[in-house]
DNA sequence: TTAGGGTTAG
């Protein structure tokens, strides 16, 4: 039921006749270059951050397509091909447009390729000279050099700049500071002053932002005191940056104090502190701040709503969330994607898929974040078919997809144990570069192991560059799921040798592995070592795994002793496991105790009656079995009808 | 200047 329709090729518009005509005009060499992204209009317009839409106005300019192709190669990091293509452009007399130079420099910066950055810089100097009038301002070169850690190049360029603008100083100072070169940043700061520049708030702001990005609290403090001492005119952006600095560095109290004394109330500063509170798990204070903010009459925006709704869902405070939702409706912002999406997420986190859908329907132009939020919502309530439907819809419309969507769908395939859809999605995500590091990769490991292919799960795992605790746990749990205890334990050793620390869930995997392979002694050792060596406190879940270990091995008395030992607070599951063990190993005396306790704890759970009934029945104790059946009927407990599914010819 | 969606278990 969950299989996907066959996937079309990645460039859906390759058969467009207009495009074919356009391609005929360009040299044959051009068409041989394997780059579907270059010439796909959908790719060009799919990202809001794409610079291509604004370039389109020059569409008729000579060499437009070539310029487009060149920057596309550079954006993909294919600089070798880009340089080859550039030499072809040079020989054909095609110039690089100013906007395209800018993108080339941006790409070099993004890919940290100093070598190529220098090359394109030299190319520009050779062809158009050092002229801002061409439309390539020096600041994008400065930025590129800082992004590529070409500090000397940046300094040289800056020193040679005939007309240094405020912005250029700002880039230099923050560039140094963000890269940890604080002495250089401060020296330049003083140089600027001695050169007769007034210390504009923008420069102070640059330095402060760099300090908060680098978490350089001390430097930030010094700038703060400089601001106070020199009696710089109070400035709302400086104040806001200071609030942000203290938040980022974890000094929430200082930040709150500053906020109280700001010259002018500013929504960004309030939001910043709210973020600080929520990240520190102080959700209640975030809500109190929101309340105060409203009393101060600060104009609310979607950033505030998003963070306050997050606090509400973390607190599981539906009432507060509803109020915020109401507030958003009153302001008429619920149709705005930036406010609407956090509402969807809030309802998803509360498990109210219906409310989430209603909120989603109100969004006038849902974006990929909205879609991924609603897909996650459906996945959480096991409405897997809807997840696929949405995905097919997005894909058929060639809408923007992202790694979040794929990660959720991998989880769906894991839940459905559907390797067909799973591997198609995997391939699709790979082609689009949308398997996110760790998140997506761990979900894939689980997807393959759950759908029966431990071999693929292992291969996927081995391809993870730096597996974290979650990724290791995923593969360990996968091995445990397939009863491959020795592999799981081996991986656990490897994990530690890589310096990755196990967490509570890792131990569930380890104990499960032991339980499926009858490793009683080892399980006990691991359970005991948890708090001793790993500082992970065992919970009832871990003890239940241990109960399961004993039960599967037929050591029912041991299982009972553990439950009865007082070392943990047994829950219904503890008794349920023991009851199952007693049924398998025909121990009615213990089974009776287990059943009674289980029934006492979960009187509404049909399974409690059915399992107790089965235990008596399998021992031929029909009178007791009948009394259980009678008790179940008397209490009106009904067994849930179960179902399963198979896929036949994609249906 | 401030945020929003996802990873591991029984």
């Amino acid at each position: 039921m969950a299989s996907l329709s066959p996937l079309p090729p990645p460039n859906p518009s390759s058969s467009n006749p207009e495009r074919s005509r356009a391609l005929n005009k360009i040299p044959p060499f051009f068409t041989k270059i394997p780059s579907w992204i270059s010439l796909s209009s959908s790719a060009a317009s799919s990202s809001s951050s794409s610079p291509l839409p604004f370039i389109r106005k020059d569409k008729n300019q000579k060499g437009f397509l070539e310029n487009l192709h060149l920057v596309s190669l550079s954006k993909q990091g294919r600089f070798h091909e880009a340089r080859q293509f550039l030499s072809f452009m040079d020989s054909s007399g095609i110039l690089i447009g100013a906007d395209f130079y800018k993108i080339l420099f941006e790409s070099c910066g993004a890919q940290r390729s100093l070598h190529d950055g220098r090359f394109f810089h030299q190319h520009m100097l050779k062809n158009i000279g050092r002229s801002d009038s061409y439309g390539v301002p020096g600041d994008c070169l400065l930025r590129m050099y800082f992004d590529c850690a070409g500090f000397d190049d940046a300094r040289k360029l800056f020193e040679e700049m005939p007309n240094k603008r405020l912005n250029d100083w700002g880039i230099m100072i923050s560039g140094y500071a963000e890269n940890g070169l604080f002495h250089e940043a401060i020296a330049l700061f003083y140089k600027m002053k001695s050169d007769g520049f007034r210390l504009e708030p923008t420069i102070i702001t640059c330095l402060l932002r760099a300090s908060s990005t680098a978490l350089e609290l001390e430097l930030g403090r010094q700038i703060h005191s400089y601001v106070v001492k020199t009696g710089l005119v109070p400035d709302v952006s400086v104040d806001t940056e200071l609030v942000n600095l203290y938040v980022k560095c974890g000094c929430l109290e200082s930040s709150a104090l500053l906020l109280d004394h700001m010259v002018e109330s500013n929504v960004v500063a309030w939001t910043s502190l709210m973020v600080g509170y929520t990240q520190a798990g102080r959700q209640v204070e975030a809500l109190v701040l929101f309340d105060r903010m409203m009393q101060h009459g600060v104009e609310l925006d979607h950033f505030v709503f998003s963070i306050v709704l997050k606090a509400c869902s973390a607190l599981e405070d539906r009432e507060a969330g509803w109020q915020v939702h109401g507030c958003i409706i009153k302001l008429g912002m619920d149709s705005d994607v930036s406010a609407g999406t956090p509402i969807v997420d809030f309802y998803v986190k509360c498990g109210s898929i219906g409310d989430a859908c209603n909120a989603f329907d109100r969004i006038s132009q849902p974006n990929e974040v909205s879609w991924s939020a609603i897909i996650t919502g459906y996945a959480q309530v096991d409405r897997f078919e809807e997840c696929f439907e949405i995905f097919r819809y997005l894909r058929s419309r060639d809408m923007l997809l992202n790694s979040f969507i794929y990660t959720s769908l991998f989880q769906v395939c894991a839940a459905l144990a559907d390797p067909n859809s799973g591997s198609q999605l995997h391939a699709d995500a790979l082609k689009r570069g949308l398997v996110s590091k760790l998140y997506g990769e761990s979900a894939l490991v689980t997807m393959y192991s759950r759908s029966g292919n431990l071999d693929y799960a292992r291969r996927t795992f081995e391809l993870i560059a730096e597996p974290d605790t979650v990724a290791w746990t995923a593969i360990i749990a996968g091995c445990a799921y397939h009863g491959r205890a020795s592999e799981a334990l081996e991986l656990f050793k490897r994990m530690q040798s890589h310096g990755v620390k196990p967490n509570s869930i890792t131990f569930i995997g380890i104990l499960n592995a032991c339980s499926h392979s009858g490793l009683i002694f080892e399980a006990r050792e691991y359970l005991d070592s948890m708090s001793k060596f790993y500082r992970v406190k065992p919970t009832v879940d871990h003890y239940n795994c241990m109960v399961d270990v004993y039960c599967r091995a037929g050591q029912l008395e041991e299982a009972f002793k553990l439950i009865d030992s007082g070392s943990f607070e047994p829950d219904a599951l503890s008794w349920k496991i023991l009851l199952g063990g007693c049924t398998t190993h025909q121990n009615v005396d213990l089974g009776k105790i287990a059943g009674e306790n289980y029934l006492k704890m979960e009187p509404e759970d049909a399974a409690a009656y059915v399992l107790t009934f089965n235990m008596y029945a399998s021992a031929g104790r029909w009178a007791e079995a009948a009394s259980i059946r009678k008790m179940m009927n008397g209490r009106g407990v009904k067994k849930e009808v179960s179902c399963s599914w198979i896929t036949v010819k994609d249906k």
Side-chain angles (χ1 to χ4, degrees), chain A residues 35 58 60 140 195 227 254 297 368 409 419 426 555 567 617 626 638:
Chain A
S35 169
D58 307 326
N60 297 324
C140 63
D195 276 15
V227 170
S254 308
E368 72 281 8
L409 289 168
H426 185 183
Q555 300 194 5
S567 42
K638 290 251 163 8

Side-chain angles (χ1 to χ4, degrees), chain A residues 507 510-511 514 519-534 546 550:
Chain A
F507 282 103
I510 291 294
L511 292 170
C514 295
L519 305 176
I520 310 166
F521 175 75
E522 288 82 350
R524 193 71 231 194
E525 290 273 292
Y526 281 116
L527 182 65
D528 292 340
S529 71
M530 280 178 65
S531 42
K532 232 189 264 173
F533 300 119
Y534 300 98
M546 194 64 222
Y550 286 132

Side-chain angles (χ1 to χ4, degrees), chain A residues 301-307 309 328 333-345 362-367 369-370:
Chain A
D301 64 8
H302 57 263
F303 288 100
V304 185
F305 288 130
S306 139
I307 195 73
L309 281 168
I328 296 172
M333 286 171 70
D334 57 330
S335 56
D336 174 8
V337 63
S338 310
T341 305
I343 301 174
V344 173
D345 177 56
R362 297 278 311 147
I363 302 175
S364 58
Q365 286 181 308
N367 64 12
V369 181
S370 329

Side-chain angles (χ1 to χ4, degrees), chain A residues 493-507:
Chain A
K493 270 190 214 147
R494 248 179 81 199
M495 170 184 186
Q496 290 167 84
S497 69
H498 279 76
V500 182
K501 293 212 163 40
N503 66 13
S504 171
I505 302 170
T506 317
F507 282 103

Side-chain angles (χ1 to χ4, degrees), chain A residues 128-197:
Chain A
I128 61 165
R130 190 178 22 203
S131 162
D132 280 12
S133 58
Y134 190 66
V136 188
D139 59 355
C140 63
L141 276 162
L142 285 181
R143 256 193 211 103
M144 181 271 288
Y145 280 128
F146 274 113
D147 287 343
C148 302
F151 307 122
D152 286 337
D153 298 75
R155 185 184 40 78
K156 192 161 165 274
L157 180 69
F158 180 72
E159 280 169 2
E160 289 171 358
M161 272 184 173
N163 305 311
K164 297 182 183 59
R165 289 170 305 181
L166 196 65
N167 190 27
D168 302 321
W169 286 95
I171 293 171
M172 288 302 290
I173 292 175
S174 57
Y176 278 137
E178 276 163 11
N179 285 284
L181 302 167
F182 299 109
H183 288 294
E184 283 81 352
I186 297 291
L188 214 55
F189 180 67
Y190 282 113
K191 170 94 172 50
M192 191 179 174
K193 220 171 85 174
S194 66
D195 276 15
F197 269 91

Side-chain angles (χ1 to χ4, degrees), chain A residues 388-624:
Chain A
F388 285 122
E389 249 172 54
I390 294 174
F391 178 69
R392 284 192 210 101
Y393 171 83
L394 294 176
R395 217 173 174 289
S396 68
R397 303 261 170 134
D398 208 16
M399 283 157 81
L400 193 60
L401 298 165
N402 60 22
S403 61
F404 289 77
I405 292 176
Y406 282 98
T407 303
S408 289
L409 289 168
F410 297 152
Q411 284 179 280
V412 168
C413 295
L416 287 167
D418 178 0
N420 287 328
S421 306
S423 46
Q424 281 195 60
L425 280 163
H426 185 183
D428 194 40
L430 275 178
K431 278 188 210 158
R432 293 164 183 256
L434 292 178
V435 178
S436 86
K437 289 233 175 310
L438 299 175
Y439 279 85
E441 290 168 326
S442 301
L444 275 171
V445 169
T446 302
M447 188 273 287
Y448 282 121
S449 95
R450 283 304 170 102
S451 46
N453 203 333
L454 186 61
D455 200 35
Y456 270 31
R458 282 215 65 156
R459 279 205 251 169
T460 310
F461 173 78
E462 298 299 343
L463 287 172
I464 302 177
E466 280 182 57
D468 63 351
T469 302
V470 175
W472 282 103
T473 303
I475 191 62
I476 287 172
C479 291
Y481 189 75
H482 285 260
R484 309 255 279 259
S486 56
E487 273 178 60
L489 300 181
E490 197 70 32
L491 282 158
F492 184 61
K493 270 190 214 147
R494 248 179 81 199
M495 170 184 186
Q496 290 167 84
S497 69
H498 279 76
V500 182
K501 293 212 163 40
N503 66 13
S504 171
I505 302 170
T506 317
F507 282 103
I508 300 272
I510 291 294
L511 292 170
N512 261 323
C514 295
S515 131
H516 293 316
S517 303
L519 305 176
I520 310 166
F521 175 75
E522 288 82 350
R524 193 71 231 194
E525 290 273 292
Y526 281 116
L527 182 65
D528 292 340
S529 71
M530 280 178 65
S531 42
K532 232 189 264 173
F533 300 119
Y534 300 98
R535 298 184 171 208
V536 180
K537 199 170 172 270
T539 66
V540 58
D541 297 324
H542 298 97
Y543 284 104
N544 283 344
C545 289
M546 194 64 222
V547 171
D548 190 46
V549 173
Y550 286 132
C551 285
R552 278 176 196 257
Q555 300 194 5
L556 303 171
E557 292 293 341
E558 284 300 321
F560 178 66
K561 255 198 260 170
L562 181 62
I563 295 179
D564 205 35
S565 67
S567 42
F568 71 105
E569 184 71 40
D571 62 4
L573 188 59
S574 322
W575 296 112
K576 187 179 183 179
I577 297 166
L578 181 61
L579 177 60
C582 292
T583 309
T584 313
H585 298 284
Q586 302 263 313
N587 185 333
V588 185
D589 294 339
L590 260 184
K592 189 165 185 270
I593 300 172
E596 280 167 4
N597 279 292
Y598 184 16
L599 279 165
K600 214 188 285 169
M601 285 180 154
E602 296 279 351
E604 304 293 315
D605 183 5
Y609 299 89
V610 174
L611 290 174
T612 312
F613 174 90
N614 287 347
M615 192 262 305
Y616 284 126
S618 64
R621 310 238 309 225
W622 296 107
E624 280 121 319

Side-chain angles (χ1 to χ4, degrees), chain A residues 215-235:
Chain A
L215 300 179
E216 275 293 326
L217 179 60
E218 230 6 80
L219 178 66
R221 277 208 178 114
Q222 285 182 32
I223 301 160
H224 187 183
S225 66
Y226 179 89
V227 170
V228 175
K229 275 188 208 157
T230 50
L232 201 81
V233 185
D235 181 88

